[in-house]
Amino acid sequence: MGEFDLDKFKTIATPNDCLVLNTIRHQGPISRADIAKATNLTAPAITYITNKLLDSGIVTEHTIGQSSGGRRPILLAINPDTLNVLVIHISSNRLRGYLVDGELNVISEKEYSVQKMAKDDILELMLSTILDLKKDAKTDILGIGVVVHGPVQSKEGISLFAPNLGWRNVPIKYIVEEKIGLPTFVENDVRAMAIGEFYYGSASDIENMVFLKVGYGIGSAIFIDGKLYRGCGDSAGEIGHTTIDVGGPLCSCGNYGCLEAVASENALVKSMIKSIKEGRSSIVQEMAGGNLEDITPEMIYEAAEKNDNLAGRFLRQTARYLGIGIANAINTFNPELLVIGGGIVKAKSSIEKTMLDTVKDRCLENSFNQCKIEFSQMGEIATIKGAADVVMTAIF
């Protein structure tokens, strides 16, 4: 096995080489026979291509698999030591940077607060974090994945609107590539998390999936026939802005009664604060030290587990609204799997039964029976893997 030369590989790699390589990335460790099934390439073609990948050093013989009657197969996997990817995740109040290896394991990470930081200072921090992480790399850096909240134009690498950062039409791809000189790709945080879940989480054998992230807001991503569906304007998946209650509260988008306006963590906190101000009692007020503006979703989840009536009531309300939104998504897309991620996962024990009962009551029976509904167990690692996968898929 030779030492991996990234520039040479990108020059000589054929489309079928990349197809096999990406199959190994997403499904490995995997046998040559299973690669042939996944790609519809012939066995001789798979042998030729995998030998080429092994000789390049980007793929390695990982383990011996289980026999299905004949000789036990050798399973192939990406060589983690041949390349690195940088991931920058900028959320509403934190900037996190990660250096990951070829198998998407985190080698090095950094984290900073960006709360109340000027938008240009956030960009400077992003660039300095990239330079710091570059120093930790022991091999070629394939590229950089930048994840931000809010809508993005992925192809152009532009953050269209990140309200909590004060960004509008920020050309992240151009800025990073000009300063750092590495290929850079920009993705929305929900889609990055969904890509990580789809390829490296509970959806690894699934073709059709809806991912619903419930945090400060509500976003989603849709996979159809194994591919992320972006829509004609790169705006598909705005399930959070479908109307659930026509008489509901004003949403950040300007409409009333959107799923995000009634079932997000932000909506949950607002409801709790409003109710306490109206005179209802809850241990959440004590947990916040008497300052209602300090109430967090986590406080409400903890209070519900301690049988606080008000917290339990609002979480059941959130669960019912989520159930309606999920039923609408299942009826529309008929997925095999719907995964729920984001901060709401911490409230699973308080919301799961009410949510699932609501989904069952409001969903078409056939669609409901065909769809598994799960809470994500990956957390931030899904975002990291998803962003790194965006880089690898674009370059390979």
Side-chain angles (χ1 to χ4, degrees):
M1 182 173 67
E3 183 176 343
F4 180 63
D5 185 327
L6 175 59
D7 292 331
K8 180 182 177 183
F9 178 81
K10 288 193 287 186
T11 301
I12 66 172
T14 68
N16 280 345
D17 293 343
C18 294
L19 175 62
V20 171
L21 177 60
N22 286 321
T23 301
I24 295 171
R25 282 202 308 109
H26 290 146
Q27 301 182 32
I30 184 172
S31 69
R32 289 170 174 83
D34 286 339
I35 296 171
K37 290 177 188 174
T39 60
N40 290 321
L41 295 173
T42 64
I46 294 298
T47 298
Y48 172 76
I49 293 170
T50 54
N51 285 343
K52 185 176 175 182
L53 295 174
L54 286 163
D55 287 341
S56 76
I58 196 170
V59 165
T60 185
E61 292 183 335
H62 186 271
T63 51
I64 304 295
Q66 295 296 316
S67 171
S68 57
R71 185 167 31 169
R72 295 173 68 191
I74 296 173
L75 304 184
L76 304 179
I78 293 294
N79 183 348
D81 301 323
T82 54
L83 55 88
N84 290 165
V85 173
L86 286 171
V87 172
I88 300 292
H89 181 193
I90 310 172
S91 62
S92 299
N93 52 21
R94 309 295 293 175
L95 185 149
R96 301 177 182 92
Y98 306 94
L99 178 69
V100 303
D101 65 19
E103 283 190 325
L104 310 190
N105 301 306
V106 175
I107 302 169
S108 178
E109 60 184 282
K110 299 183 183 297
E111 182 174 340
Y112 306 95
S113 172
V114 295
Q115 210 157 16
K116 299 179 181 177
M117 189 179 285
K119 58 183 181 181
D120 290 340
D121 291 339
I122 296 173
L123 290 170
E124 287 301 319
L125 178 61
M126 174 185 70
L127 294 170
S128 65
T129 302
I130 290 170
L131 292 172
D132 287 344
L133 288 168
K134 269 187 76 177
K135 297 172 187 174
D136 296 333
K138 300 292 192 291
T139 185
D140 285 323
I141 295 177
L142 189 65
I144 301 168
V146 179
V147 178
V148 295
H149 74 273
V152 302
Q153 283 184 338
S154 300
K155 188 175 180 182
E156 294 82 3
I158 298 171
S159 170
L160 293 176
F161 183 47
N164 295 326
L165 302 177
W167 287 5
R168 190 180 289 273
N169 297 321
V170 177
I172 296 175
K173 178 180 176 69
Y174 171 79
I175 291 168
V176 176
E177 289 185 347
E178 183 186 43
K179 296 288 185 181
I180 309 297
L182 286 170
T184 301
F185 307 89
V186 179
E187 190 53 272
N188 162 269
D189 58 347
V190 178
R191 285 181 177 168
M193 183 177 275
I195 290 166
E197 190 74 49
F198 187 75
Y199 288 118
Y200 307 103
S202 56
S204 55
D205 296 323
I206 296 295
E207 289 289 303
N208 300 283
M209 180 188 89
V210 173
F211 179 82
L212 191 69
K213 183 183 178 185
V214 183
Y216 182 86
I218 294 181
S220 68
I222 301 152
F223 287 82
I224 299 174
D225 294 335
K227 294 181 180 178
L228 177 66
Y229 178 68
R230 293 184 177 275
C232 63
D234 208 12
S235 299
E238 291 291 352
I239 292 172
H241 295 293
T242 55
T243 302
I244 300 299
D245 180 359
V246 292
L250 179 67
C251 182
S252 61
C253 71
N255 289 324
Y256 288 85
C258 293
L259 181 62
E260 181 172 301
V262 296
S264 65
E265 288 187 315
N266 185 39
L268 175 66
V269 170
K270 282 183 175 180
S271 295
M272 176 61 76
I273 291 173
K274 181 174 182 287
S275 191
I276 292 173
K277 284 181 176 179
E278 290 171 348
R280 296 176 182 86
S281 63
S282 169
I283 62 171
V284 170
Q285 187 169 6
E286 299 168 30
M287 295 165 74
N291 187 349
L292 299 186
E293 299 307 312
D294 289 340
I295 291 175
T296 65
E298 289 76 16
M299 291 176 188
I300 300 173
Y301 304 154
E302 185 181 342
E305 289 178 1
K306 293 179 178 178
N307 298 315
D308 181 83
N309 288 332
L310 196 60
R313 179 183 135 201
F314 282 126
L315 279 172
R316 286 190 296 275
Q317 175 180 286
T318 297
R320 283 192 291 273
Y321 280 132
L322 281 177
I324 295 169
I326 289 168
N328 290 343
I330 291 174
N331 286 342
T332 302
F333 297 105
N334 189 205
E336 301 159 76
L337 176 67
L338 186 142
V339 178
I340 302 161
I344 201 71
V345 172
K346 301 185 187 80
K348 177 182 176 182
S349 61
S350 298
I351 68 171
E352 186 171 29
K353 184 180 186 307
T354 300
M355 184 190 76
L356 291 177
D357 287 346
T358 305
V359 176
K360 186 175 182 180
D361 288 344
R362 292 176 174 270
C363 209
L364 294 172
E365 184 177 1
N366 186 52
S367 296
F368 177 79
N369 291 336
Q370 291 177 335
C371 182
K372 291 191 297 182
I373 300 173
E374 297 181 359
F375 286 81
S376 174
Q377 298 180 11
M378 294 184 73
E380 173 70 358
I381 195 66
T383 306
I384 300 167
K385 288 179 180 286
D389 188 86
V390 167
V391 174
M392 290 185 169
T393 300
I395 291 179
F396 292 139

